[in-house]
Amino acid sequence: MKNSRWIPPQETTKREELLLKRLTRTKKLFAFLRQHRSELFDEAFQEELSAMYRQTDEGKAPVAPALLAMAVLLQAYTGASDAEAVELTVVDARWQLVLDHFGEDSPAFSQGALQAFRQRMIRYDMDKRLLERTAMLARQHGGFDSKKLPKDLRIAVDSRPLEGAGRVEDTFNLIAHAARILLREAARLTARTAEDIAEEIGLKCLTASSVKRGLDIDWSDAEAKQSALDRVLLEAAGVQVWVDAKLGAVASTPPLSEQIATLQRLRNQDLEPDPEGSGAVRIKRGVACDRQVSLSDPEMRHGRKTKSKRFNGYKSHIALDLDARVIWACAVTPANLPEGTAIESLKSDLGKLEVSEWHIDRGYISASEIHAAHGAGMAVFCRPWRSKVPGRFGKEDFRFNFRKKTVTCPQAVTIPIQLGTRAKFPADACAACPRREQCTRSS
């Protein structure tokens, strides 16, 4: 069905005027949104919201996207859950005022409709667009104290592990899985069954329900394990040779070309020549820095949050306004990438918002955008590494002034520093220092 427009009346009723008078001091956003809802959700913006949907003549008539967008604003403002938001459209006069829902006994929308709409907004970046329009309208009309509107933001950035949904596989399963995908695609293109082609090639372990079940070896036996690897590689190569021979030029076009490239990439990342010079290959010692760990989610990577905590998937990053407690930007990066690589995406999300302070984790300190921000006069705050020696001064006990490029020790001795190099205090000053033992034991 074609999405309907939300066209609430702009003129206020006596009941609305009484309620608006009560909203002049507290919860002023309710009054502001009621007074300017037609301007906020004009025809052009409602057309943008409707563009998120596929237009069909099927299904039941949906709730107007603009009405749901207004509900999302109210939900963010009040901190209501989805279930609470649905009920508030019936029991809260302020919500009814904004949503043009006075006198209604049933909710303005369902919980499922609100959840689906919010997910759709995020997918199309319309949540950011809605925030920007609302903030711009507030500045234009001066409905709020300009001193309280955010001008320069204090942004805190941090990350956390985000486990991927794809199945993580070892070398045997990855290569066998990729070969099976290639085999199934070849079967589809030749109108044959995968089992028929497998029998022609002479595949054994690749046709088993599990490649390791098909190999059926003692996995603690190094020689048996190497023989099993050779067998998997031989059968995977057999599939590729068959595809090249039977399908010719078709093998150099997608999707076959992509599947062949994936198979080759897996070989390159997980295998290395046997150092004994036999011409064979073995599983690579160590882990490739950009190792693909899953075929169902090829962008997943190995990652570490700490030395002891490993995970597979991604890192999620957020940029939080420390004063308003609003998350203005977010990003997702593969788990193996340094935190600093997310700053570019976060800054893009922040758009034209002015940032005066960056409060960052140590992982972001290497980002070129952070260095550029500091060079442009923004304050950058980052915790130093903690001292590992009990009873001794750590970096947190020294005062760093990156603008003046100086460091001051706990005894108030200041020296110049050069970023990226080691700072050394004068030996004569340290020799006479009464707190020397808390700083160093070197002579």
Side-chain angles (χ1 to χ4, degrees):
M1 295 291 290
K2 185 175 180 180
N3 288 298
S4 59
R5 293 289 191 266
W6 184 47
I7 310 177
Q10 187 59 26
E11 299 77 14
T12 55
T13 64
K14 289 185 178 181
R15 184 180 179 186
E16 287 180 325
E17 289 175 1
L18 288 174
L19 191 54
L20 287 170
K21 289 179 181 179
R22 300 188 66 87
L23 294 172
T24 55
R25 286 192 173 184
T26 61
K27 299 297 182 182
K28 294 173 62 176
L29 185 63
F30 284 104
F32 176 82
L33 291 175
R34 167 59 186 89
Q35 292 166 339
H36 302 288
R37 61 191 179 189
S38 296
E39 186 176 356
L40 177 60
F41 295 100
D42 58 16
E43 177 62 26
F45 189 45
Q46 293 208 44
E47 183 62 32
E48 289 183 49
L49 292 170
S50 294
M52 299 188 298
Y53 294 83
R54 180 171 61 92
Q55 305 296 338
T56 70
D57 293 326
E58 301 175 354
K60 62 181 182 180
V63 180
L67 174 65
L68 289 169
M70 181 66 90
V72 168
L73 280 177
L74 296 179
Q75 185 181 21
Y77 181 52
T78 60
S81 68
D82 291 339
E84 290 170 338
V86 172
E87 294 305 312
L88 287 170
T89 65
V90 178
V91 302
D92 192 311
R94 297 169 304 178
W95 280 64
Q96 294 174 334
L97 169 73
V98 176
L99 298 177
D100 188 31
H101 204 63
F102 274 128
E104 300 292 338
D105 296 328
S106 58
F109 44 80
S110 68
Q111 184 174 337
L114 181 60
Q115 291 173 339
F117 177 78
R118 185 172 56 250
Q119 291 171 356
R120 192 181 294 269
M121 285 194 78
I122 293 170
R123 189 183 317 133
Y124 288 91
D125 286 332
M126 290 300 291
D127 52 335
K128 179 182 176 184
R129 181 93 172 87
L130 177 61
L131 267 178
E132 289 175 344
R133 279 184 62 86
T134 307
M136 179 182 68
L137 202 62
R139 288 189 173 93
Q140 286 177 351
H141 288 277
F144 298 88
D145 185 348
S146 61
K147 295 180 181 179
K148 295 181 180 179
L149 288 175
K151 296 180 179 178
D152 296 332
L153 303 178
R154 298 191 310 128
I155 293 294
V157 180
D158 203 358
S159 68
R160 66 176 181 178
L162 181 63
E163 290 285 348
R167 184 175 68 181
V168 178
E169 299 178 298
D170 63 10
T171 300
F172 287 90
N173 285 304
L174 270 177
I175 293 176
H177 190 178
R180 286 196 190 108
I181 292 174
L182 180 61
L183 177 63
R184 287 196 294 267
E185 183 61 26
R188 185 186 70 82
L189 292 172
T190 56
R192 296 174 62 180
T193 65
E195 292 75 14
D196 184 26
I197 298 175
E199 184 177 353
E200 179 181 332
I201 300 172
L203 304 181
K204 299 296 183 183
C205 65
L206 290 187
T207 57
S209 58
S210 162
V211 63
K212 291 187 175 180
R213 182 178 181 180
L215 291 168
D216 191 23
I217 65 166
D218 178 4
W219 291 96
S220 63
D221 186 330
E223 290 186 6
K225 190 174 180 179
Q226 181 61 47
S227 296
L229 176 64
D230 295 339
R231 183 175 169 185
V232 170
L233 294 175
L234 181 64
E235 293 197 8
V239 175
Q240 186 173 342
V241 169
W242 191 94
V243 168
D244 289 334
K246 300 295 185 180
L247 293 172
V250 178
S252 61
T253 60
L256 287 178
S257 61
E258 296 169 348
Q259 293 162 356
I260 292 171
T262 296
L263 186 55
Q264 185 58 47
R265 182 169 61 252
L266 296 176
R267 292 192 192 104
N268 293 340
Q269 73 174 16
D270 282 4
L271 304 175
E272 64 182 3
D274 192 327
E276 295 182 1
S278 61
V281 294
R282 69 177 189 182
I283 295 178
K284 187 178 294 184
R285 302 299 185 262
V287 180
C289 62
D290 194 38
R291 182 176 186 269
Q292 182 176 337
V293 300
S294 173
L295 287 172
S296 54
D297 189 348
E299 294 183 3
M300 284 175 55
R301 293 295 182 267
H302 292 304
R304 285 180 180 270
K305 184 60 177 177
T306 64
K307 286 185 177 181
S308 60
K309 184 175 181 180
R310 303 177 184 180
F311 64 99
N312 298 298
Y314 304 89
K315 293 175 185 175
S316 62
H317 310 259
I318 61 168
L320 172 72
D321 182 341
L322 289 174
D323 299 310
R325 312 304 295 177
V326 171
I327 295 175
W328 284 103
C330 61
V332 176
T333 59
N336 64 320
L337 293 184
E339 275 80 355
T341 57
I343 293 294
E344 181 180 1
S345 178
L346 292 174
K347 288 197 69 177
S348 176
D349 257 10
L350 289 170
K352 297 181 180 179
L353 295 173
E354 296 293 334
V355 178
S356 60
E357 295 180 4
W358 288 93
H359 296 253
I360 59 175
D361 184 80
R362 288 184 288 261
Y364 298 95
I365 197 68
S366 61
S368 59
E369 293 84 0
I370 293 296
H371 287 273
H374 182 264
M378 297 183 199
V380 177
F381 298 87
C382 179
R383 288 185 179 181
W385 294 101
R386 293 183 178 273
S387 173
K388 296 182 179 180
V389 182
R392 305 281 282 282
F393 291 132
K395 285 186 179 179
E396 63 270 23
D397 297 306
F398 291 73
R399 297 196 306 276
F400 291 86
N401 188 323
F402 290 104
R403 203 170 303 285
K404 295 182 179 180
K405 294 185 178 179
T406 62
V407 59
T408 303
C409 77
Q411 197 60 21
V413 176
T414 301
I415 62 169
I417 58 173
Q418 184 177 351
L419 298 181
T421 63
R422 181 176 297 179
K424 292 185 178 181
F425 285 85
D428 54 347
C430 293
C433 179
R435 307 172 77 179
R436 175 185 172 85
E437 288 300 317
Q438 292 177 264
C439 190
T440 180
R441 293 178 183 174
S442 62
S443 57

